[in-house]
Amino acid sequence: MEELINICTYKEFKVATDREVLNQAEGFVRLGYLLRKARDTEILRDSGYPTVVAFAEGEYGLTETYVSRYIAINKRYSKDGYSPYLQERFQGYGMAKLAEMLTLSDEVVEALPPELSKTEIQEVKREIRKEQEITDLEVMLEEKEGENEGKSSLEKWLLVYIQENKEEWSRAKKSMPGSKGKEGEEEKEGEEEVKINWVMDFLAPTGIAAKMARIKGEGKFMLTIKGKYSPLELLNLRTNEKETYTLKECAELIESIRMQEGEEEKQKREQEGQKESQKENLAPVQETDEREQGAQAGERSESSVPDPVITDKKAKEPQSEKRQTIAEEEKGEERQMEVEDYPELLPEGYTPTAYIKCHDGSEVEEKEWREAKALIDKLYEDTAMENWNLEEVYRKATKLVIILEKLHKES
């Protein structure tokens, strides 16, 4: 106890704490061993307690839950499964972590780094429970990723992990070492060391980690990292099958994924550039078409009735007909003379009457036709309104009928 009082530095503090944690874990294993012996032998025969649970509660206030836990810890972590000694590989875990790992399979427990905290172990347990809720049939029916064909389990795991941690991956890519090698063995070894360090910074900044990712059609995998100089372990949590990889292999796979992403991003930029170029080339034509369509739409909206052909009975007469008329005059054939045939006799400022050619070939004066057309448009607008004035519509319609009757007589 005196040595604990004299602790002054962090190094001394850490050594003492590790020792007490180890002693605590070993103490639980020893207590578990004693409780098992009391349960399995007649040693309590003279104690007056009928069971080991009654003894532990009566003497030490331990409930049945705690008794079961101590016994389970001894059975799981003691040497040979039934002794007062803790297995060497579990030394340093501490009672709390050993208790958390009781429900995990031997394969998972063996894969977990001893340095994981109790909270991290609890997170591993949650991930395993989530995977156990998915049936084997559901896993078989899952649609596998087509691009995963022929890839190793680690590469498939990395692709999923990167996809699920995009922000972390985006930051990590900025510091990723280049893919081109250097000349000379020493330089190559130095470059390899840089890549391995980068992988550790990306996947396990503290040096140890237990990372999860789920591969469709196969299940959830746990990648455990136990330091820079230990192999990576990839454990299928459904089958408990384990694969091991080196950090160098992991670095090469990540580098390959980065290069593939770069190629895809380049192709995407080129496609976007081509689309922009096509838009720029098509823009002037589209603007011209839109202006023409707008002009046509404006002409259509100006009047619902097509504009008839406006002609002057004489002035707009086709040239071929004029030539024919001259020819007929030269032959001496008689025709009805019009006042326009004598321009020298017309008063100054005289303008020939303009006529409208209708669809049936008849002609009517332009002025009255325009007035009729304006009334038709106005009637259309008035009746299109939700609350139109019947009296006003009737007045305009009457006027329209009068003009149409006049035009009909003239035609």
Side-chain angles (χ1 to χ4, degrees), residues 354-388:
Y355 289 86
I356 299 275
K357 182 176 286 185
C358 301
H359 293 292
D360 59 358
S362 60
E363 294 182 343
V364 297
E365 288 189 17
E366 176 189 3
K367 179 181 177 182
E368 293 179 341
W369 171 255
R370 291 293 184 193
E371 187 176 0
K373 187 164 73 71
L375 281 169
I376 291 172
D377 291 342
K378 192 61 180 173
L379 284 169
Y380 177 79
E381 292 176 4
D382 289 348
T383 54
M385 293 188 298
E386 186 175 352
N387 298 315
W388 48 278

mmCIF file of all heavy atoms in Angstrom, residues 354-388:
data_model
loop_
_atom_site.group_PDB
_atom_site.id
_atom_site.type_symbol
_atom_site.label_atom_id
_atom_site.label_comp_id
_atom_site.label_asym_id
_atom_site.label_seq_id
_atom_site.Cartn_x
_atom_site.Cartn_y
_atom_site.Cartn_z
ATOM 1 N N ALA A 354 -60.052 49.095 -100.820
ATOM 2 C CA ALA A 354 -59.429 47.805 -100.510
ATOM 3 C C ALA A 354 -60.502 46.779 -100.228
ATOM 4 O O ALA A 354 -61.521 47.086 -99.611
ATOM 5 C CB ALA A 354 -58.521 47.944 -99.303
ATOM 6 N N TYR A 355 -60.263 45.554 -100.708
ATOM 7 C CA TYR A 355 -61.245 44.493 -100.550
ATOM 8 C C TYR A 355 -60.622 43.297 -99.818
ATOM 9 O O TYR A 355 -59.410 43.099 -99.833
ATOM 10 C CB TYR A 355 -61.778 44.047 -101.914
ATOM 11 C CG TYR A 355 -62.682 45.076 -102.567
ATOM 12 C CD1 TYR A 355 -62.146 46.111 -103.335
ATOM 13 C CD2 TYR A 355 -64.067 45.003 -102.409
ATOM 14 C CE1 TYR A 355 -62.960 47.066 -103.918
ATOM 15 C CE2 TYR A 355 -64.894 45.959 -103.005
ATOM 16 C CZ TYR A 355 -64.340 46.986 -103.749
ATOM 17 O OH TYR A 355 -65.148 47.919 -104.315
ATOM 18 N N ILE A 356 -61.501 42.523 -99.201
ATOM 19 C CA ILE A 356 -61.124 41.289 -98.513
ATOM 20 C C ILE A 356 -61.639 40.112 -99.329
ATOM 21 O O ILE A 356 -62.811 40.088 -99.696
ATOM 22 C CB ILE A 356 -61.745 41.222 -97.119
ATOM 23 C CG1 ILE A 356 -61.240 42.393 -96.269
ATOM 24 C CG2 ILE A 356 -61.462 39.893 -96.452
ATOM 25 C CD1 ILE A 356 -59.958 42.168 -95.596
ATOM 26 N N LYS A 357 -60.780 39.142 -99.611
ATOM 27 C CA LYS A 357 -61.228 37.935 -100.320
ATOM 28 C C LYS A 357 -61.625 36.900 -99.285
ATOM 29 O O LYS A 357 -60.801 36.488 -98.468
ATOM 30 C CB LYS A 357 -60.130 37.377 -101.207
ATOM 31 C CG LYS A 357 -60.567 36.137 -101.998
ATOM 32 C CD LYS A 357 -59.484 35.660 -102.954
ATOM 33 C CE LYS A 357 -59.403 36.606 -104.139
ATOM 34 N NZ LYS A 357 -58.440 36.095 -105.164
ATOM 35 N N CYS A 358 -62.852 36.457 -99.277
ATOM 36 C CA CYS A 358 -63.351 35.463 -98.319
ATOM 37 C C CYS A 358 -62.994 34.059 -98.778
ATOM 38 O O CYS A 358 -62.498 33.851 -99.887
ATOM 39 C CB CYS A 358 -64.868 35.617 -98.146
ATOM 40 S SG CYS A 358 -65.339 37.246 -97.557
ATOM 41 N N HIS A 359 -63.310 33.090 -97.900
ATOM 42 C CA HIS A 359 -62.963 31.693 -98.204
ATOM 43 C C HIS A 359 -63.733 31.144 -99.395
ATOM 44 O O HIS A 359 -63.273 30.230 -100.073
ATOM 45 C CB HIS A 359 -63.229 30.825 -96.974
ATOM 46 C CG HIS A 359 -62.315 31.130 -95.842
ATOM 47 N ND1 HIS A 359 -60.968 30.861 -95.860
ATOM 48 C CD2 HIS A 359 -62.551 31.744 -94.642
ATOM 49 C CE1 HIS A 359 -60.400 31.264 -94.748
ATOM 50 N NE2 HIS A 359 -61.358 31.818 -93.981
ATOM 51 N N ASP A 360 -64.919 31.677 -99.661
ATOM 52 C CA ASP A 360 -65.716 31.163 -100.782
ATOM 53 C C ASP A 360 -65.395 31.865 -102.095
ATOM 54 O O ASP A 360 -66.063 31.643 -103.115
ATOM 55 C CB ASP A 360 -67.218 31.285 -100.464
ATOM 56 C CG ASP A 360 -67.614 32.732 -100.211
ATOM 57 O OD1 ASP A 360 -66.716 33.618 -100.239
ATOM 58 O OD2 ASP A 360 -68.824 32.969 -99.975
ATOM 59 N N GLY A 361 -64.379 32.786 -102.073
ATOM 60 C CA GLY A 361 -63.984 33.473 -103.297
ATOM 61 C C GLY A 361 -64.603 34.837 -103.462
ATOM 62 O O GLY A 361 -64.154 35.629 -104.291
ATOM 63 N N SER A 362 -65.633 35.151 -102.679
ATOM 64 C CA SER A 362 -66.273 36.463 -102.775
ATOM 65 C C SER A 362 -65.397 37.520 -102.124
ATOM 66 O O SER A 362 -64.508 37.200 -101.329
ATOM 67 C CB SER A 362 -67.641 36.422 -102.102
ATOM 68 O OG SER A 362 -67.491 36.085 -100.733
ATOM 69 N N GLU A 363 -65.642 38.813 -102.477
ATOM 70 C CA GLU A 363 -64.860 39.902 -101.942
ATOM 71 C C GLU A 363 -65.766 40.917 -101.276
ATOM 72 O O GLU A 363 -66.852 41.227 -101.775
ATOM 73 C CB GLU A 363 -64.057 40.575 -103.053
ATOM 74 C CG GLU A 363 -62.987 39.656 -103.658
ATOM 75 C CD GLU A 363 -62.171 40.371 -104.722
ATOM 76 O OE1 GLU A 363 -62.640 41.417 -105.191
ATOM 77 O OE2 GLU A 363 -61.085 39.881 -105.062
ATOM 78 N N VAL A 364 -65.317 41.469 -100.132
ATOM 79 C CA VAL A 364 -66.064 42.487 -99.408
ATOM 80 C C VAL A 364 -65.099 43.584 -99.014
ATOM 81 O O VAL A 364 -63.876 43.378 -99.013
ATOM 82 C CB VAL A 364 -66.738 41.906 -98.147
ATOM 83 C CG1 VAL A 364 -67.760 40.864 -98.519
ATOM 84 C CG2 VAL A 364 -65.702 41.319 -97.203
ATOM 85 N N GLU A 365 -65.618 44.761 -98.668
ATOM 86 C CA GLU A 365 -64.755 45.868 -98.304
ATOM 87 C C GLU A 365 -63.992 45.575 -97.005
ATOM 88 O O GLU A 365 -64.553 45.034 -96.055
ATOM 89 C CB GLU A 365 -65.590 47.145 -98.145
ATOM 90 C CG GLU A 365 -66.087 47.682 -99.474
ATOM 91 C CD GLU A 365 -66.726 49.050 -99.304
ATOM 92 O OE1 GLU A 365 -66.477 49.671 -98.240
ATOM 93 O OE2 GLU A 365 -67.434 49.492 -100.214
ATOM 94 N N GLU A 366 -62.730 45.998 -97.018
ATOM 95 C CA GLU A 366 -61.839 45.707 -95.894
ATOM 96 C C GLU A 366 -62.307 46.356 -94.592
ATOM 97 O O GLU A 366 -62.294 45.732 -93.526
ATOM 98 C CB GLU A 366 -60.429 46.193 -96.217
ATOM 99 C CG GLU A 366 -59.452 46.012 -95.054
ATOM 100 C CD GLU A 366 -58.132 46.690 -95.298
ATOM 101 O OE1 GLU A 366 -57.983 47.357 -96.347
ATOM 102 O OE2 GLU A 366 -57.262 46.581 -94.430
ATOM 103 N N LYS A 367 -62.747 47.625 -94.646
ATOM 104 C CA LYS A 367 -63.103 48.363 -93.446
ATOM 105 C C LYS A 367 -64.193 47.659 -92.653
ATOM 106 O O LYS A 367 -64.089 47.458 -91.429
ATOM 107 C CB LYS A 367 -63.555 49.765 -93.832
ATOM 108 C CG LYS A 367 -63.969 50.627 -92.640
ATOM 109 C CD LYS A 367 -64.422 51.990 -93.108
ATOM 110 C CE LYS A 367 -64.892 52.816 -91.914
ATOM 111 N NZ LYS A 367 -65.387 54.154 -92.322
ATOM 112 N N GLU A 368 -65.252 47.238 -93.358
ATOM 113 C CA GLU A 368 -66.364 46.592 -92.661
ATOM 114 C C GLU A 368 -65.970 45.209 -92.137
ATOM 115 O O GLU A 368 -66.417 44.759 -91.079
ATOM 116 C CB GLU A 368 -67.576 46.514 -93.593
ATOM 117 C CG GLU A 368 -68.165 47.897 -93.913
ATOM 118 C CD GLU A 368 -69.351 47.812 -94.843
ATOM 119 O OE1 GLU A 368 -69.481 46.768 -95.511
ATOM 120 O OE2 GLU A 368 -70.145 48.773 -94.897
ATOM 121 N N TRP A 369 -65.107 44.521 -92.920
ATOM 122 C CA TRP A 369 -64.653 43.201 -92.455
ATOM 123 C C TRP A 369 -63.813 43.317 -91.175
ATOM 124 O O TRP A 369 -63.974 42.541 -90.242
ATOM 125 C CB TRP A 369 -63.849 42.511 -93.545
ATOM 126 C CG TRP A 369 -63.173 41.251 -93.037
ATOM 127 C CD1 TRP A 369 -61.882 41.073 -92.751
ATOM 128 C CD2 TRP A 369 -63.837 40.034 -92.703
ATOM 129 N NE1 TRP A 369 -61.651 39.829 -92.276
ATOM 130 C CE2 TRP A 369 -62.865 39.144 -92.234
ATOM 131 C CE3 TRP A 369 -65.167 39.600 -92.774
ATOM 132 C CZ2 TRP A 369 -63.156 37.861 -91.831
ATOM 133 C CZ3 TRP A 369 -65.448 38.311 -92.386
ATOM 134 C CH2 TRP A 369 -64.461 37.452 -91.915
ATOM 135 N N ARG A 370 -62.930 44.327 -91.129
ATOM 136 C CA ARG A 370 -62.127 44.538 -89.940
ATOM 137 C C ARG A 370 -63.009 44.828 -88.725
ATOM 138 O O ARG A 370 -62.753 44.360 -87.616
ATOM 139 C CB ARG A 370 -61.166 45.705 -90.148
ATOM 140 C CG ARG A 370 -60.066 45.427 -91.140
ATOM 141 C CD ARG A 370 -59.123 44.379 -90.623
ATOM 142 N NE ARG A 370 -58.002 44.169 -91.515
ATOM 143 C CZ ARG A 370 -57.170 43.173 -91.438
ATOM 144 N NH1 ARG A 370 -57.347 42.262 -90.501
ATOM 145 N NH2 ARG A 370 -56.174 43.052 -92.287
ATOM 146 N N GLU A 371 -64.069 45.613 -88.944
ATOM 147 C CA GLU A 371 -64.978 45.946 -87.856
ATOM 148 C C GLU A 371 -65.689 44.689 -87.351
ATOM 149 O O GLU A 371 -65.848 44.476 -86.135
ATOM 150 C CB GLU A 371 -66.000 46.985 -88.324
ATOM 151 C CG GLU A 371 -66.880 47.505 -87.186
ATOM 152 C CD GLU A 371 -67.820 48.607 -87.650
ATOM 153 O OE1 GLU A 371 -67.785 48.973 -88.845
ATOM 154 O OE2 GLU A 371 -68.597 49.090 -86.802
ATOM 155 N N ALA A 372 -66.120 43.858 -88.316
ATOM 156 C CA ALA A 372 -66.785 42.606 -87.927
ATOM 157 C C ALA A 372 -65.839 41.694 -87.146
ATOM 158 O O ALA A 372 -66.200 41.094 -86.127
ATOM 159 C CB ALA A 372 -67.313 41.887 -89.174
ATOM 160 N N LYS A 373 -64.581 41.593 -87.626
ATOM 161 C CA LYS A 373 -63.602 40.735 -86.954
ATOM 162 C C LYS A 373 -63.305 41.226 -85.538
ATOM 163 O O LYS A 373 -63.161 40.440 -84.600
ATOM 164 C CB LYS A 373 -62.306 40.688 -87.764
ATOM 165 C CG LYS A 373 -61.286 39.679 -87.238
ATOM 166 C CD LYS A 373 -60.219 39.395 -88.250
ATOM 167 C CE LYS A 373 -59.297 40.590 -88.362
ATOM 168 N NZ LYS A 373 -58.459 40.727 -87.164
ATOM 169 N N ALA A 374 -63.229 42.566 -85.376
ATOM 170 C CA ALA A 374 -62.978 43.126 -84.050
ATOM 171 C C ALA A 374 -64.115 42.815 -83.088
ATOM 172 O O ALA A 374 -63.900 42.513 -81.908
ATOM 173 C CB ALA A 374 -62.789 44.638 -84.166
ATOM 174 N N LEU A 375 -65.346 42.847 -83.600
ATOM 175 C CA LEU A 375 -66.503 42.509 -82.765
ATOM 176 C C LEU A 375 -66.473 41.030 -82.350
ATOM 177 O O LEU A 375 -66.806 40.672 -81.222
ATOM 178 C CB LEU A 375 -67.804 42.822 -83.517
ATOM 179 C CG LEU A 375 -68.217 44.308 -83.542
ATOM 180 C CD1 LEU A 375 -69.361 44.517 -84.529
ATOM 181 C CD2 LEU A 375 -68.614 44.779 -82.154
ATOM 182 N N ILE A 376 -66.060 40.158 -83.277
ATOM 183 C CA ILE A 376 -65.978 38.719 -82.968
ATOM 184 C C ILE A 376 -64.960 38.485 -81.841
ATOM 185 O O ILE A 376 -65.205 37.756 -80.876
ATOM 186 C CB ILE A 376 -65.582 37.921 -84.226
ATOM 187 C CG1 ILE A 376 -66.733 37.959 -85.250
ATOM 188 C CG2 ILE A 376 -65.250 36.473 -83.866
ATOM 189 C CD1 ILE A 376 -66.374 37.364 -86.587
ATOM 190 N N ASP A 377 -63.767 39.144 -81.967
ATOM 191 C CA ASP A 377 -62.743 38.992 -80.930
ATOM 192 C C ASP A 377 -63.244 39.504 -79.593
ATOM 193 O O ASP A 377 -63.010 38.897 -78.544
ATOM 194 C CB ASP A 377 -61.481 39.757 -81.330
ATOM 195 C CG ASP A 377 -60.789 39.100 -82.516
ATOM 196 O OD1 ASP A 377 -61.087 37.921 -82.783
ATOM 197 O OD2 ASP A 377 -59.956 39.771 -83.159
ATOM 198 N N LYS A 378 -63.948 40.647 -79.605
ATOM 199 C CA LYS A 378 -64.434 41.232 -78.362
ATOM 200 C C LYS A 378 -65.490 40.347 -77.712
ATOM 201 O O LYS A 378 -65.507 40.156 -76.494
ATOM 202 C CB LYS A 378 -65.020 42.621 -78.651
ATOM 203 C CG LYS A 378 -65.280 43.444 -77.386
ATOM 204 C CD LYS A 378 -63.986 43.687 -76.624
ATOM 205 C CE LYS A 378 -64.234 44.507 -75.368
ATOM 206 N NZ LYS A 378 -63.036 44.607 -74.529
ATOM 207 N N LEU A 379 -66.375 39.770 -78.548
ATOM 208 C CA LEU A 379 -67.383 38.857 -78.012
ATOM 209 C C LEU A 379 -66.724 37.629 -77.373
ATOM 210 O O LEU A 379 -67.166 37.130 -76.332
ATOM 211 C CB LEU A 379 -68.349 38.426 -79.124
ATOM 212 C CG LEU A 379 -69.393 39.471 -79.551
ATOM 213 C CD1 LEU A 379 -70.089 39.031 -80.825
ATOM 214 C CD2 LEU A 379 -70.421 39.681 -78.437
ATOM 215 N N TYR A 380 -65.669 37.147 -78.001
ATOM 216 C CA TYR A 380 -64.957 35.978 -77.456
ATOM 217 C C TYR A 380 -64.350 36.305 -76.088
ATOM 218 O O TYR A 380 -64.441 35.532 -75.148
ATOM 219 C CB TYR A 380 -63.869 35.549 -78.430
ATOM 220 C CG TYR A 380 -63.034 34.395 -77.926
ATOM 221 C CD1 TYR A 380 -63.507 33.085 -77.996
ATOM 222 C CD2 TYR A 380 -61.779 34.627 -77.356
ATOM 223 C CE1 TYR A 380 -62.748 32.034 -77.512
ATOM 224 C CE2 TYR A 380 -61.029 33.581 -76.871
ATOM 225 C CZ TYR A 380 -61.519 32.289 -76.961
ATOM 226 O OH TYR A 380 -60.764 31.251 -76.493
ATOM 227 N N GLU A 381 -63.743 37.490 -75.980
ATOM 228 C CA GLU A 381 -63.144 37.904 -74.719
ATOM 229 C C GLU A 381 -64.201 38.097 -73.634
ATOM 230 O O GLU A 381 -64.023 37.696 -72.478
ATOM 231 C CB GLU A 381 -62.363 39.206 -74.918
ATOM 232 C CG GLU A 381 -61.120 39.038 -75.788
ATOM 233 C CD GLU A 381 -60.432 40.362 -76.042
ATOM 234 O OE1 GLU A 381 -60.894 41.373 -75.479
ATOM 235 O OE2 GLU A 381 -59.441 40.384 -76.786
ATOM 236 N N ASP A 382 -65.334 38.758 -74.018
ATOM 237 C CA ASP A 382 -66.381 39.035 -73.029
ATOM 238 C C ASP A 382 -66.978 37.741 -72.474
ATOM 239 O O ASP A 382 -67.193 37.613 -71.267
ATOM 240 C CB ASP A 382 -67.482 39.891 -73.651
ATOM 241 C CG ASP A 382 -67.010 41.322 -73.917
ATOM 242 O OD1 ASP A 382 -65.929 41.678 -73.414
ATOM 243 O OD2 ASP A 382 -67.719 42.061 -74.630
ATOM 244 N N THR A 383 -67.262 36.796 -73.347
ATOM 245 C CA THR A 383 -67.909 35.554 -72.896
ATOM 246 C C THR A 383 -66.928 34.628 -72.186
ATOM 247 O O THR A 383 -67.337 33.687 -71.520
ATOM 248 C CB THR A 383 -68.543 34.808 -74.085
ATOM 249 O OG1 THR A 383 -67.545 34.599 -75.090
ATOM 250 C CG2 THR A 383 -69.701 35.601 -74.665
ATOM 251 N N ALA A 384 -65.628 34.880 -72.347
ATOM 252 C CA ALA A 384 -64.625 34.050 -71.653
ATOM 253 C C ALA A 384 -64.508 34.438 -70.192
ATOM 254 O O ALA A 384 -64.014 33.670 -69.374
ATOM 255 C CB ALA A 384 -63.268 34.177 -72.341
ATOM 256 N N MET A 385 -64.974 35.641 -69.824
ATOM 257 C CA MET A 385 -64.917 36.075 -68.436
ATOM 258 C C MET A 385 -65.935 35.326 -67.593
ATOM 259 O O MET A 385 -66.962 34.879 -68.096
ATOM 260 C CB MET A 385 -65.165 37.587 -68.347
ATOM 261 C CG MET A 385 -64.046 38.416 -68.990
ATOM 262 S SD MET A 385 -64.246 40.185 -68.654
ATOM 263 C CE MET A 385 -65.821 40.497 -69.434
ATOM 264 N N GLU A 386 -65.596 35.169 -66.306
ATOM 265 C CA GLU A 386 -66.462 34.398 -65.416
ATOM 266 C C GLU A 386 -67.833 35.064 -65.237
ATOM 267 O O GLU A 386 -68.870 34.407 -65.280
ATOM 268 C CB GLU A 386 -65.768 34.243 -64.049
ATOM 269 C CG GLU A 386 -66.528 33.326 -63.101
ATOM 270 C CD GLU A 386 -65.758 33.099 -61.813
ATOM 271 O OE1 GLU A 386 -64.592 33.537 -61.736
ATOM 272 O OE2 GLU A 386 -66.337 32.480 -60.895
ATOM 273 N N ASN A 387 -67.850 36.360 -65.055
ATOM 274 C CA ASN A 387 -69.121 37.091 -64.881
ATOM 275 C C ASN A 387 -69.284 38.085 -66.034
ATOM 276 O O ASN A 387 -68.973 39.271 -65.918
ATOM 277 C CB ASN A 387 -69.126 37.843 -63.538
ATOM 278 C CG ASN A 387 -69.027 36.906 -62.350
ATOM 279 O OD1 ASN A 387 -69.715 35.892 -62.316
ATOM 280 N ND2 ASN A 387 -68.169 37.242 -61.397
ATOM 281 N N TRP A 388 -69.719 37.586 -67.214
ATOM 282 C CA TRP A 388 -69.829 38.491 -68.365
ATOM 283 C C TRP A 388 -71.201 39.141 -68.409
ATOM 284 O O TRP A 388 -72.199 38.632 -67.934
ATOM 285 C CB TRP A 388 -69.515 37.773 -69.676
ATOM 286 C CG TRP A 388 -70.207 36.458 -69.879
ATOM 287 C CD1 TRP A 388 -69.824 35.266 -69.383
ATOM 288 C CD2 TRP A 388 -71.397 36.228 -70.650
ATOM 289 N NE1 TRP A 388 -70.678 34.280 -69.757
ATOM 290 C CE2 TRP A 388 -71.677 34.848 -70.561
ATOM 291 C CE3 TRP A 388 -72.253 37.029 -71.404
ATOM 292 C CZ2 TRP A 388 -72.756 34.256 -71.195
ATOM 293 C CZ3 TRP A 388 -73.329 36.440 -72.045
ATOM 294 C CH2 TRP A 388 -73.569 35.066 -71.940
#
